[in-house]
C-alpha cells in the first residue's frame, strides 16, 4: 500500500505540509467539465484541511457547517459560500461507504470550535440574536472570533454593535479566551 493510500492525487500530495497526515479519502464524481483523473477524483481529509477533488484545500476552521446525503457532501466555507461535492457510486451502482469521511469531517470541524455562544438580541427574551464563535486551526495558537448575525438583524444597528462588543468582552473574560 502506498504511503498516502491508493490513488492520492499528486496535486494533493505535493501540497501537503510537513507533518500533515491523510486521515481519510473517498472517491467522488469528477468536477463538472473535468475529465476523470487517473484512478478517479477523490476527496481527501488531512490533519489540516479538506482537499476538494480539484486539489484546493479548505482549512477546517473555515468550514462553518457540513451535511451529507447519499449523493453529495455540501458544506459552507466562511466568506466564500456553499460547495457541493458529488459522491460517486461504484460500477455496481451500490453507494460508496462515506462513513469514515463523514466522521472525519465532523470531528475536524468540531475540534476547531473553542466557544460557540448564542446571544439573544435586542432583549434577553428574544428568539433572534447573534452567535459568537471562537475558532482555532488544528495545532494552532491564534484564536479567531467570528460573529454570525441572525437573519432579521441589521448589521448597521449601533445597538447591535454595542451588544456584540459587550457580549464578546464578557465571554472572553468568562472563558479565558
Amino acid at each position: 500500500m502506498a504511503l498516502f493510500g491508493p490513488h492520492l492525487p499528486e496535486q494533493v500530495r505535493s501540497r501537503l505540509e510537513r507533518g500533515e497526515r491523510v486521515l481519510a479519502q473517498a472517491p467522488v464524481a469528477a468536477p463538472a467539465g473535468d475529465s476523470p483523473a487517473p484512478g478517479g477524483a477523490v476527496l481527501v481529509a488531512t490533519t489540516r484541511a479538506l482537499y476538494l477533488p480539484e486539489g484546493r484545500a479548505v482549512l477546517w476552521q473555515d468550514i462553518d457547517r457540513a451535511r451529507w446525503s447519499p449523493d453529495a457532501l455540501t458544506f459552507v466555507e466562511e466568506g466564500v459560500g456553499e460547495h457541493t461535492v458529488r459522491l460517486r457510486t461504484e460500477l455496481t451502482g451500490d453507494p460508496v461507504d462515506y462513513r469514515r469521511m463523514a466522521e472525519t469531517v465532523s470531528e475536524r470541524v468540531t475540534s476547531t470550535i473553542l466557544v460557540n455562544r448564542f446571544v439573544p438580541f435586542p432583549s434577553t427574551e428574544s428568539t433572534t440574536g447573534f452567535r459568537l464563535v471562537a475558532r482555532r486551526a488544528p495545532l494552532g495558537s491564534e484564536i479567531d472570533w467570528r460573529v454570525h448575525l441572525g437573519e432579521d438583524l441589521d448589521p448597521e444597528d449601533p445597538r447591535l454593535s454595542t451588544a456584540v462588543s459587550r457580549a464578546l468582552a464578557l465571554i472572553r473574560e468568562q472563558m479565558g479566551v
Side-chain angles (χ1 to χ4, degrees):
M1 180 174 188
L3 178 61
F4 296 108
H7 311 295
L8 185 64
E10 178 57 32
Q11 63 192 24
V12 173
R13 183 185 349 224
S14 65
R15 295 184 63 207
L16 296 180
E17 292 182 359
R18 183 176 178 90
E20 185 175 5
R21 294 185 337 266
V22 173
L23 302 173
Q25 59 180 314
V28 298
D34 286 359
S35 55
V42 294
L43 184 65
V44 179
T46 71
T47 50
R48 184 179 75 88
L50 180 66
Y51 287 85
L52 302 181
E54 65 272 12
R56 187 173 78 80
V58 180
L59 301 175
W60 294 120
Q61 66 271 20
D62 292 336
I63 297 176
D64 185 44
R65 61 187 170 275
R67 67 183 182 280
W68 292 86
S69 73
D71 302 319
L73 159 67
T74 302
F75 67 94
V76 176
E77 181 180 3
E78 288 202 32
V80 177
E82 189 172 274
H83 300 279
T84 298
V85 179
R86 293 181 305 122
L87 307 179
R88 189 180 80 198
T89 59
E90 296 301 316
L91 297 176
T92 63
D94 295 330
V96 174
D97 184 354
Y98 286 93
R99 288 178 291 192
R100 180 176 170 88
M101 179 62 78
E103 289 170 1
T104 301
V105 169
S106 176
E107 183 275 327
R108 298 310 295 176
V109 170
T110 301
S111 73
T112 68
I113 300 170
L114 303 174
V115 177
N116 184 354
R117 178 85 49 93
F118 176 77
V119 180
F121 181 83
S123 72
T124 57
E125 293 81 33
S126 297
T127 57
T128 61
F130 55 91
R131 185 165 296 284
L132 294 174
V133 181
R135 297 187 79 171
R136 179 174 52 205
L139 304 176
S141 59
E142 188 174 318
I143 296 170
D144 181 25
W145 282 93
R146 300 167 189 192
V147 180
H148 300 271
L149 299 180
E151 288 182 24
D152 296 334
L153 296 183
D154 176 9
E156 302 300 320
D157 183 343
R159 296 175 307 144
L160 177 61
S161 178
T162 300
V164 167
S165 295
R166 285 183 183 159
L168 181 58
L170 180 63
I171 290 172
R172 291 179 82 164
E173 181 182 321
Q174 289 173 344
M175 304 300 288
V177 181

